[in-house]
Amino acid sequence: MTLEEALHRYIEEVSRKKSSQGYDRDVRLARMIQDRLDASQSLEEISPLVLSRYRDLRLKEASLSTVAKDLELLKDLFRVAMTQWGLALDGNPANAVMEHGSSLGRTTGMAPGERLRLVAACDHYTNPILGLVIRIILETGLRKNEILSLKCADIDLAHRICHVPRIQLNAPRRVPLTKTAVKLFRRVLELEDRPSDTEWVFYGDPSRYGDRKPYALDRVFKKVIAKARLKRIVFDDLRTEAMMAMYAAGLTEGEVAAITGSKHTRISRKAPEYQVERLLERLDAVWPETTLPEVVVVMTEEDPGLLDIPDDHAAKTEGKRNTRRTGGAFGQPRRF
């Protein structure tokens, strides 16, 4: 089996089962690998030395994270070829390729004061949904696609249970809610401007066709963290921060995996200690209840005190209006 045939079969049998984003990424990486490696050579002829040369070549034209994704695809390709296609190899040659030290990912999470700054910045955003989403993720450890796919019928406030539907390869599960999470979900469901024609918990604006989709979380989150000067924070840090808080509170590794759906720890979800009723008792015993702010002051450009704008600068810019049509990001002039 040649490398070209193996990549084509991998795309059809493995990548097809992934999300549309994962499928497109695998197709793009497969084309890149075929262009830089001899696609006509068999998998038995590909050695760690060949892959090391490919890695060094890719490092000259791509970032470290991109090269790491290439190697991960090659690792999974050889693994599938040996375990599912019956290809007889001495071992996985991609496992012997040394990754660059800087491509191993981040080793630190949020700094001590960054969590407070992030929550404050999101609370003061014009749309209150953003602050509620961030606080719920820090309380429950839900994934971004899980929390955006929640519907009103999935929230059982009486029994303090959130029914997470099946998303991609993640099985459906029941998530126990802390007392603070119950308050947050109740506040979301009781928003004054909640439209009656939507079933999403975190709803967005209607499209030009009249239908509503989930809240545009990525775009808004990037805008807020840039304004708060927290650019080093990524969205996955919120889930990591929630899991670290659960460990610090005294929950076991299996209990954290049962709550967050983490796949790093293999557990039997049918075990008595991982049932949602038992997890609720554990959370009530170790997880502190947080008092939510009653009124959140929205940061606007008309309030110089919240934005820390000097008085002399405000006086200079008073009455001026930029009438130039702009095409850059967030209203900034496009640079040519």
Side-chain angles (χ1 to χ4, degrees), residues 164-224:
V164 177
R166 179 182 181 88
I167 301 175
Q168 299 175 7
L169 299 179
N170 298 324
R173 70 181 193 277
R174 298 192 304 167
V175 178
L177 300 178
T178 62
K179 296 180 179 179
T180 305
V182 171
K183 295 180 182 178
L184 293 169
F185 273 113
R186 181 175 287 111
R187 183 170 294 187
V188 173
L189 297 175
E190 295 177 355
L191 288 175
E192 296 181 357
D193 56 350
R194 168 173 288 277
S196 58
D197 59 343
T198 181
E199 57 182 357
W200 302 109
V201 176
F202 304 100
Y203 56 91
D205 295 330
S207 66
R208 58 180 178 178
Y209 302 106
D211 58 335
R212 288 183 181 271
K213 295 183 178 181
Y215 187 63
L217 187 57
D218 281 333
R219 176 177 57 83
V220 178
F221 182 75
K222 292 178 181 179
K223 179 180 179 180
V224 170

Side-chain angles (χ1 to χ4, degrees), residues 24 30 43 48 52 58 106 118 134 180 196 217 231 249 253:
D24 294 341
L43 294 183
S52 297
R58 287 286 285 147
R106 301 175 59 187
L118 175 64
I134 300 303
T180 305
S196 58
L217 187 57
K231 294 184 179 181
E253 188 174 2

Side-chain angles (χ1 to χ4, degrees), residues 106 108-121 229-233 237-238 241:
R106 301 175 59 187
T108 59
M110 295 186 186
E114 288 181 340
R115 172 170 176 166
L116 296 177
R117 290 174 56 193
L118 175 64
V119 173
R229 299 179 182 179
L230 296 170
K231 294 184 179 181
R232 65 177 298 272
I233 295 180
D237 289 339
L238 302 175
E241 187 75 11

Side-chain angles (χ1 to χ4, degrees), residues 113-137:
E114 288 181 340
R115 172 170 176 166
L116 296 177
R117 290 174 56 193
L118 175 64
V119 173
C122 294
D123 281 344
H124 289 85
Y125 187 65
T126 54
N127 193 333
I129 291 182
L130 178 62
L132 295 173
V133 168
I134 300 303
R135 287 178 176 270
I136 289 175
I137 294 178

Side-chain angles (χ1 to χ4, degrees), residues 55-326:
R55 175 206 61 194
D56 297 338
L57 176 64
R58 287 286 285 147
L59 284 174
K60 296 179 181 180
E61 58 187 14
S63 62
L64 296 171
S65 59
T66 302
V67 178
K69 293 176 183 177
D70 292 359
L71 296 177
E72 287 296 328
L73 178 62
L74 288 170
K75 288 179 183 179
D76 198 47
L77 172 66
F78 282 100
R79 181 191 63 81
V80 172
M82 291 187 296
T83 58
Q84 300 183 18
W85 300 343
L87 188 65
L89 294 176
D90 295 335
N92 193 330
N95 289 334
V97 179
M98 182 72 69
E99 291 187 0
H100 196 280
S102 301
S103 65
L104 300 179
R106 301 175 59 187
T107 57
T108 59
M110 295 186 186
E114 288 181 340
R115 172 170 176 166
L116 296 177
R117 290 174 56 193
L118 175 64
V119 173
C122 294
D123 281 344
H124 289 85
Y125 187 65
T126 54
N127 193 333
I129 291 182
L130 178 62
L132 295 173
V133 168
I134 300 303
R135 287 178 176 270
I136 289 175
I137 294 178
L138 291 173
E139 285 287 327
T140 61
L142 289 172
R143 299 179 178 90
K144 178 179 62 178
N145 56 352
E146 291 176 344
I147 197 168
L148 292 180
S149 63
L150 290 177
K151 298 181 179 180
C152 297
D154 297 329
I155 310 300
D156 187 356
L157 296 180
H159 297 89
R160 294 170 52 191
I161 296 175
C162 173
H163 299 273
V164 177
R166 179 182 181 88
I167 301 175
Q168 299 175 7
L169 299 179
N170 298 324
R173 70 181 193 277
R174 298 192 304 167
V175 178
L177 300 178
T178 62
K179 296 180 179 179
T180 305
V182 171
K183 295 180 182 178
L184 293 169
F185 273 113
R186 181 175 287 111
R187 183 170 294 187
V188 173
L189 297 175
E190 295 177 355
L191 288 175
E192 296 181 357
D193 56 350
R194 168 173 288 277
S196 58
D197 59 343
T198 181
E199 57 182 357
W200 302 109
V201 176
F202 304 100
Y203 56 91
D205 295 330
S207 66
R208 58 180 178 178
Y209 302 106
D211 58 335
R212 288 183 181 271
K213 295 183 178 181
Y215 187 63
L217 187 57
D218 281 333
R219 176 177 57 83
V220 178
F221 182 75
K222 292 178 181 179
K223 179 180 179 180
V224 170
I225 63 174
K227 190 174 182 179
R229 299 179 182 179
L230 296 170
K231 294 184 179 181
R232 65 177 298 272
I233 295 180
V234 296
F235 203 90
D236 291 341
D237 289 339
L238 302 175
R239 176 175 163 86
T240 304
E241 187 75 11
M243 297 175 65
M244 293 175 59
M246 293 178 186
Y247 287 127
L251 296 178
T252 64
E253 188 174 2
E255 291 172 342
V256 174
I259 295 173
T260 62
S262 175
K263 298 181 180 180
H264 296 290
T265 304
R266 294 183 177 272
I267 61 172
S268 175
R269 299 190 179 276
K270 296 182 180 180
E273 61 270 21
Y274 300 139
Q275 297 301 310
V276 65
E277 293 78 10
R278 171 61 178 168
L279 293 175
L280 281 173
E281 296 178 359
R282 290 282 293 144
L283 287 173
D284 291 341
V286 301
W287 196 263
E289 184 177 358
T290 306
T291 303
L292 301 180
E294 294 296 334
V295 179
V296 177
V297 181
V298 177
M299 295 178 68
T300 60
E301 296 183 358
E302 289 77 10
D303 193 342
L306 290 174
L307 295 176
D308 297 331
I309 301 177
D311 295 336
D312 55 348
H313 178 75
K316 293 179 181 179
T317 58
E318 185 177 1
K320 293 184 179 181
R321 182 181 178 183
N322 185 11
T323 58
R324 176 183 175 184
R325 296 187 63 181
T326 59

